[in-house]
Amino acid sequence: MGNSPSGNGGCGDSCPVENVSWWDAIAYANALSDAQALERCYTLSGCGGTPGNGNYLCTSVSFVGPACEGYRLPTEAEWEFAARAGTTSACERQAHGGVIGAGNAAGGGAVVEVRLPSIPTTPALEGSA
């Protein structure tokens, strides 16, 4: 899209992009679809600003649907399926002792709570280098 909203620069093109809005993400999905001659999954209207610059907003969006063959964000159900990693409960105890749960999504965003136990120190083995 011609710019990088990432604050990370030390890892080149492998850096995660962390400073994007939902509007930026769907504009990027449409741009990827266009670049590969695929169907756009989103129709945006009333947009202003530049995607990736922190000022991009639209007044409305319509989603083609999960069958869209272009790039798209996962639906809520797809995200939940991936986040549960094959489990069926709302809160799952992990092998490391942490708890991954639904958190508080009432604020409009999905929040995943992760609690890890303190890691005990292990005395050095005798004779180890």
Side-chain angles (χ1 to χ4, degrees), residues 67-89:
C68 180
E69 294 187 16
Y71 287 89
R72 64 179 180 82
L73 300 177
T75 63
E76 182 178 359
E78 290 167 335
W79 182 90
E80 183 176 345
F81 179 79
R84 287 179 190 259
T87 64
T88 56
S89 65

Side-chain angles (χ1 to χ4, degrees), residues 109-127:
V111 176
V112 177
E113 179 182 354
V114 179
R115 293 188 309 259
L116 300 174
S118 59
I119 300 171
T121 57
T122 305
L125 299 174
E126 289 184 47

Side-chain angles (χ1 to χ4, degrees), residues 19-88:
N19 295 319
V20 295
S21 70
W22 184 77
W23 294 108
D24 292 328
I26 61 175
Y28 185 68
N30 276 349
L32 285 175
S33 296
D34 291 345
Q36 295 187 14
L38 297 171
E39 171 187 20
R40 282 182 163 214
C41 294
Y42 304 98
T43 302
L44 303 171
S45 61
C47 300
T50 303
N53 280 353
N55 63 353
Y56 187 67
L57 285 173
C58 300
T59 57
S60 68
V61 60
S62 62
F63 176 49
V64 171
C68 180
E69 294 187 16
Y71 287 89
R72 64 179 180 82
L73 300 177
T75 63
E76 182 178 359
E78 290 167 335
W79 182 90
E80 183 176 345
F81 179 79
R84 287 179 190 259
T87 64
T88 56

